[in-house]
Amino acid sequence: MSRHIYSTSSFESPYVSLDLLAYLNSGKKTPFHVFNDVVMPEFQCHLSKLKKQLLPPKDMNGTQDNTSRTERDEEEDDSNCNGSHAIVEEIQKDLDYINKACHKLKDSADRVDEEIQRLILQRLDDAFRERTEEALANSPRINKLRRTKDVVSMLKNQICSSPQLSSDSLSLQHSSPSRRPDKQPEVYIDNQKITKSLTSKRIEEVYNGLDEIQKKCLLCFSVFPENETIKKKVLIHWWVGEEFIDSLNGDGETAEETGNEYFKEFIRKGIIEPVQKKRRQSSENCKMQSSVRDAIIKLAEKDEFVSFDSKGNPNADFSSCPRVCLVKTEEGSSLRDFTYIYHHLKHEKIQTLFNVNEPQPNFRVDRFSKMKNLKVLQLGRWKASARQLVEVEDTEFLKGLKKMKQLRYFSLRGISRITELPNSICELSNLRILNLNGCDNLEKLPDGIGSLKQLTHLDMSECFLISHMPKGLASLLALQILKGFVIGKESPSGLYCKLADLTRLQHLRKLSIHVDRTCLEAEKELNSLPQFRKLRSLSVAWSSIYYATTSTTTNVGLAKIQRIVSRENSLKTLAKIHRIMSREKSMPTTPGSTSQPVDLHKLGLQYFHGAKMPDWLSLLRLKNLKKLYIRGGELSDLRLTEDQEDHSWAVKCLRLKSLCKLEINWPKLRQLFPKLNYVEKVDCPHLSSFPCDDNGEGIWNAADTEQA
């Protein structure tokens, strides 16, 4: 029997094409992407042509031919035409609904297909390991079961979350228009999943455009909890520890400068967003949206950067990655898993151990000492808030540090019950960053700390029980940042580091000092500050934490004598330094000389007990000072010392807090600080006529004023 193909107008339309006929003859099931991308567009085109054919016939001039038609015929045609148009409209509504439903089903099918492929790949990987590994001990069953469990759980979640669409809501009903409901059944679209899918694709494109170092830096964000504010400094120190960036750059760029450039790049690309405080011009914190974090976690898993559980929490499984995260959840602690489940794995492969939220990071000595190739050890708290409590039972496990010759970043920040550090810490020959901030029970530093020749960052701030600095501190010639240096009362032994001893540190650019105001030699030591030629940031805080063992009456009298003696000593020392500087003007520049005075950019003064600015400020070069922060104390005059002709400051950013004796109005402050563009005042009752922001806070921003 011969086959005949009748040529019709419908055959010539795009809807009935040879490709579609061939596809139907193949007997294949129609996948969603074919239906959405081919069938639906063809049918929509066909339907639009049918609508055009339903228009009333017109004559050659474009007018209706009424002469050859009776009035009854016209009424019948109008009725048929209206009914046909109504049917077409109903078909169009059904097609729109089907289109939405199919797109939703396609997305769900794609996700299920992706998890099925993961399951297949997991099985192939297990089979390969069974053939290649000799002994069962080298391939623990628990690891295989955990990996399989994670993959199967993901597949189960995708299948169970597939859209539930009833046959009634998807069927085409060709009943008359009067019997059809006016409202079509709605298709539920999971906007959150769609957003995550789109975000994941966008982040993957951005990620592929980064260089290899930037990629690794970005993946570090994956370990932090959802919606957490992250300090930039924590990440930069981590990057230094893993050698993504270096704190000893030969090109003169600091680790902070390199890290900040990476942060700017991530912000420009929409990966992270800055967290600003009180509309300040710069931000030291950032955060990542949850959908972006989910995308970063997928990339970290794919790259075997960190292991995660099924809920997206980083864990201590280092069977396939070199990083361990300590996380405590309702289900348990990853530290326990690290100790009892993964104890048989080779600890030598671990490069980073990061405490995310474990409140008690206590280790067994034998487990801790096995991590011989560790580069990053973040045991302390990383959050900006002090509410993250961390403590240890004892420091016995820290003796294992002596075997960690590759360690570059070590943080015990905010850990309680550490009274002293073991001498083993002095054997960390590669250590770059040591963070002891907030170790409130720490009483002393090891005497051998001077052996840390590579150390560039040392933070001892808020270690209030430390009364003196070890002599070896002056031997840290690579030191760039030193926070928490203590100027205390003279020790009978005299074997402690003084501020003048640090003038050997030619790379020191940031220094914070804690001064015991009962120390008679404090002012004399501060007069050595002009010799720190590369210093750019200085913070000095005064307090009386270390009380004398005398009566209260004696202390009051002693304090008066100390103020008089201290004033006389500072004046004599000031005159002596001026004479020395005048003699050395014609001498060649040598390291430590004052021919090039320190050029400060940032200055902080806390709880200063004098009414006027300290005398040693006149020895410093303040022409380029951009930021001035003053908090607490008895200051009542912000002018520079009287021996200077110009009392004004070049400061652009000024913060004043808890200055109850300072009296000045806004016009006079502007005269004293003519270059200001940002002012912040808190708890200063005698500062009058100051502008405030819209929230009533004492904040003034020149940029906001210009916009207004």
Side-chain angles (χ1 to χ4, degrees):
M1 182 178 178
S2 61
R3 298 177 62 185
H4 299 279
I5 299 178
Y6 296 94
S7 178
T8 62
S9 59
S10 63
F11 184 81
E12 295 172 356
S13 70
Y15 172 65
V16 185
S17 65
L18 294 176
D19 290 338
L20 287 179
L21 288 174
Y23 182 78
L24 291 175
N25 290 333
S26 68
K28 297 179 180 179
K29 293 184 178 180
T30 306
F32 287 113
H33 71 87
V34 173
F35 182 84
N36 292 333
D37 299 337
V38 180
V39 177
M40 285 297 293
E42 296 280 6
F43 193 85
Q44 293 280 10
C45 180
H46 176 63
L47 191 64
S48 64
K49 288 190 175 183
L50 285 177
K51 291 174 68 175
K52 292 180 181 179
Q53 294 176 1
L54 293 175
L55 294 175
K58 298 182 180 181
D59 60 12
M60 297 297 294
N61 296 325
T63 59
Q64 293 183 4
D65 184 11
N66 296 324
T67 57
S68 59
R69 300 173 59 86
T70 63
E71 188 173 324
R72 181 177 179 181
D73 291 335
E74 290 178 356
E75 292 177 356
E76 184 177 350
D77 288 345
D78 290 340
S79 176
N80 293 335
C81 184
N82 293 334
S84 299
H85 276 289
I87 294 174
V88 170
E89 291 299 324
E90 293 299 330
I91 294 174
Q92 185 64 57
K93 288 181 180 179
D94 283 342
L95 285 176
D96 292 340
Y97 175 69
I98 292 171
N99 190 35
K100 291 180 181 179
C102 285
H103 275 88
K104 181 182 177 185
L105 291 170
K106 176 184 177 296
D107 292 340
S108 176
D110 289 345
R111 291 193 295 270
V112 172
D113 181 70
E114 181 180 348
E115 297 305 325
I116 291 174
Q117 292 183 30
R118 284 188 59 191
L119 183 63
I120 296 171
L121 290 173
Q122 181 63 54
R123 182 64 193 97
L124 292 174
D125 181 66
D126 290 342
F128 176 78
R129 295 189 183 199
E130 290 173 0
R131 290 195 303 269
T132 56
E133 295 179 353
E134 297 179 358
L136 184 61
N138 294 332
S139 179
R141 293 182 183 275
I142 185 66
N143 296 336
K144 185 190 302 182
L145 290 174
R146 285 181 180 276
R147 290 194 303 268
T148 304
K149 177 180 178 297
D150 290 341
V151 176
V152 173
S153 296
M154 290 295 295
L155 176 58
K156 171 194 167 187
N157 292 338
Q158 291 296 348
I159 293 177
C160 293
S161 62
S162 298
Q164 303 296 323
L165 302 176
S166 64
S167 58
D168 293 336
S169 63
L170 292 178
S171 60
L172 287 174
Q173 300 178 9
H174 296 288
S175 58
S176 63
S178 59
R179 296 182 181 180
R180 291 182 55 84
D182 295 334
K183 186 176 180 181
Q184 290 289 328
E186 295 183 358
V187 176
Y188 172 73
I189 305 297
D190 194 334
N191 291 324
Q192 186 176 7
K193 286 187 177 181
I194 293 176
T195 301
K196 285 186 177 181
S197 178
L198 294 175
T199 302
S200 180
K201 292 179 181 178
R202 181 179 65 83
I203 295 301
E204 188 171 359
E205 291 176 358
V206 172
Y207 178 79
N208 292 332
L210 301 175
D211 61 41
E212 292 304 314
I213 297 298
Q214 290 176 328
K215 287 180 180 179
K216 293 177 181 178
C217 291
L218 179 58
L219 294 181
C220 292
F221 284 89
S222 62
V223 309
F224 295 97
E226 188 174 6
N227 297 322
E228 281 286 354
T229 298
I230 309 168
K231 292 178 70 69
K232 291 182 180 179
K233 181 174 64 176
V234 173
L235 282 160
I236 291 176
H237 289 177
W238 183 354
W239 298 344
V240 171
E242 293 234 26
E243 299 185 79
F244 301 156
I245 59 179
D246 202 345
S247 57
L248 295 173
N249 286 333
D251 57 0
E253 190 176 53
T254 66
E256 285 74 19
E257 290 171 342
T258 305
N260 282 326
E261 287 301 316
Y262 287 174
F263 277 106
K264 290 178 182 177
E265 182 69 12
F266 295 156
I267 291 173
R268 279 196 298 266
K269 294 183 179 296
I271 304 175
I272 61 174
E273 54 190 38
V275 177
Q276 293 184 330
K277 184 179 181 181
K278 293 186 177 180
R279 293 172 32 243
R280 292 176 183 173
Q281 296 168 329
S282 60
S283 173
E284 300 299 323
N285 303 319
C286 64
K287 68 188 306 182
M288 178 177 284
Q289 292 184 1
S290 58
S291 58
V292 177
R293 177 180 176 269
D294 293 339
I296 299 298
I297 287 176
K298 288 184 178 180
L299 292 171
E301 286 182 306
K302 182 179 179 181
D303 198 52
E304 295 186 342
F305 189 81
V306 182
S307 293
F308 296 86
D309 62 19
S310 58
K311 294 184 178 180
N313 297 314
N315 56 34
D317 183 2
F318 58 99
S319 58
S320 60
C321 66
R323 295 169 186 85
V324 171
C325 291
L326 304 183
V327 180
K328 188 167 186 178
T329 63
E330 295 179 355
E331 289 77 15
S333 170
S334 63
L335 177 57
R336 181 177 178 83
D337 296 341
F338 176 77
T339 305
Y340 298 105
I341 297 180
Y342 306 115
H343 62 88
H344 53 273
L345 298 178
K346 293 182 178 181
H347 289 57
E348 293 82 359
K349 68 178 293 186
I350 302 176
Q351 295 181 10
T352 293
L353 190 147
F354 197 97
N355 183 8
V356 178
N357 68 345
E358 174 58 57
Q360 295 179 324
N362 298 302
F363 290 85
R364 291 174 51 176
V365 179
D366 57 336
R367 297 281 183 269
F368 190 77
S369 60
K370 284 183 178 181
M371 295 183 287
K372 299 178 181 180
N373 296 316
L374 205 63
K375 293 182 178 181
V376 173
L377 182 55
Q378 168 78 40
L379 290 181
R381 57 184 176 87
W382 54 268
K383 293 184 179 181
S385 172
R387 288 179 293 181
Q388 183 185 5
L389 301 178
V390 186
E391 66 176 10
V392 293
E393 294 179 357
D394 57 60
T395 57
E396 187 69 19
F397 69 91
L398 290 179
K399 293 181 179 179
L401 288 170
K402 63 183 179 181
K403 295 185 178 181
M404 301 179 183
K405 304 299 183 183
Q406 305 302 318
L407 193 64
R408 293 165 56 92
Y409 168 45
F410 182 30
S411 174
L412 295 172
R413 178 175 180 254
I415 299 183
S416 300
R417 303 180 68 177
I418 297 179
T419 57
E420 63 178 345
L421 299 175
N423 290 327
S424 58
I425 199 173
C426 301
E427 300 182 37
L428 302 175
S429 55
N430 274 309
L431 192 65
R432 302 301 202 269
I433 301 172
L434 177 59
N435 191 346
L436 306 173
N437 174 276
C439 293
D440 48 13
N441 299 118
L442 187 62
E443 299 176 0
K444 60 175 294 188
L445 296 177
D447 294 330
I449 196 171
S451 62
L452 303 177
K453 301 299 183 182
Q454 302 292 324
L455 198 67
T456 60
H457 296 60
L458 175 58
D459 190 349
M460 306 169 291
S461 53
E462 298 183 32
C463 297
F464 299 119
L465 297 184
I466 298 179
S467 58
H468 294 88
M469 297 286 99
K471 265 287 188 184
L473 208 61
S475 299
L476 303 176
L477 299 182
L479 209 58
Q480 300 175 14
I481 296 178
L482 176 59
K483 302 176 71 175
F485 183 88
V486 175
I487 299 179
K489 293 180 295 186
E490 289 191 16
S491 172
S493 65
L495 298 177
Y496 59 91
C497 182
K498 296 184 178 181
L499 186 61
D501 298 331
L502 299 183
T503 56
R504 300 176 56 201
L505 310 183
Q506 296 300 307
H507 301 286
L508 193 65
R509 53 186 171 82
K510 187 172 185 177
L511 174 64
S512 73
I513 304 171
H514 174 80
V515 181
D516 180 3
R517 72 168 64 178
T518 64
C519 174
L520 297 177
E521 299 293 322
E523 295 295 329
K524 182 179 178 180
E525 288 202 44
L526 290 171
N527 284 330
S528 64
L529 283 171
Q531 300 179 52
F532 293 81
R533 296 190 308 165
K534 289 194 175 181
L535 198 63
R536 297 296 178 264
S537 176
L538 173 65
S539 176
V540 185
W542 289 262
S543 63
S544 297
I545 296 178
Y546 315 108
Y547 295 100
T549 58
T550 53
S551 64
T552 305
T553 306
T554 306
N555 281 338
V556 174
L558 180 61
K560 292 181 179 179
I561 296 173
Q562 287 174 352
R563 283 197 292 270
I564 296 172
V565 174
S566 177
R567 178 71 175 176
E568 291 178 353
N569 287 340
S570 62
L571 290 175
K572 291 178 181 178
T573 306
L574 180 61
K576 183 178 179 180
I577 290 177
H578 276 301
R579 290 195 299 270
I580 295 174
M581 290 178 64
S582 62
R583 287 200 307 266
E584 291 183 345
K585 285 182 179 180
S586 58
M587 297 175 62
T589 301
T590 56
S593 71
T594 55
S595 58
Q596 294 182 2
V598 59
D599 186 16
L600 281 183
H601 293 175
K602 181 178 178 181
L603 174 63
L605 303 174
Q606 296 186 42
Y607 309 109
F608 179 57
H609 51 276
K612 296 183 178 181
M613 286 291 180
D615 295 325
W616 49 265
L617 277 180
S618 63
L619 305 177
L620 306 179
R621 185 180 179 183
L622 302 176
K623 292 182 179 180
N624 294 322
L625 190 68
K626 299 177 181 178
K627 299 178 180 180
L628 176 61
Y629 306 157
I630 305 176
R631 178 175 182 175
E634 301 177 11
L635 271 175
S636 60
D637 189 352
L638 296 180
R639 293 179 298 173
L640 293 172
T641 51
E642 296 179 357
D643 59 340
Q644 290 183 293
E645 296 180 2
D646 187 7
H647 298 295
S648 65
W649 298 76
V651 169
K652 295 182 178 180
C653 178
L654 177 65
R655 296 182 195 165
L656 306 173
K657 187 173 183 179
S658 302
L659 298 172
C660 58
K661 294 188 177 182
L662 179 62
E663 295 186 24
I664 190 172
N665 59 32
W666 178 248
K668 289 184 178 180
L669 185 83
R670 292 302 307 273
Q671 291 179 1
L672 195 57
F673 297 89
K675 298 182 179 181
L676 277 181
N677 55 33
Y678 180 87
V679 177
E680 180 181 324
K681 75 174 184 73
V682 179
D683 194 21
C684 299
H686 301 298
L687 301 185
S688 58
S689 304
F690 271 58
C692 297
D693 64 0
D694 295 337
N695 298 322
E697 296 181 347
I699 297 175
W700 175 80
N701 195 327
D704 294 346
T705 304
E706 291 175 2
Q707 290 178 2

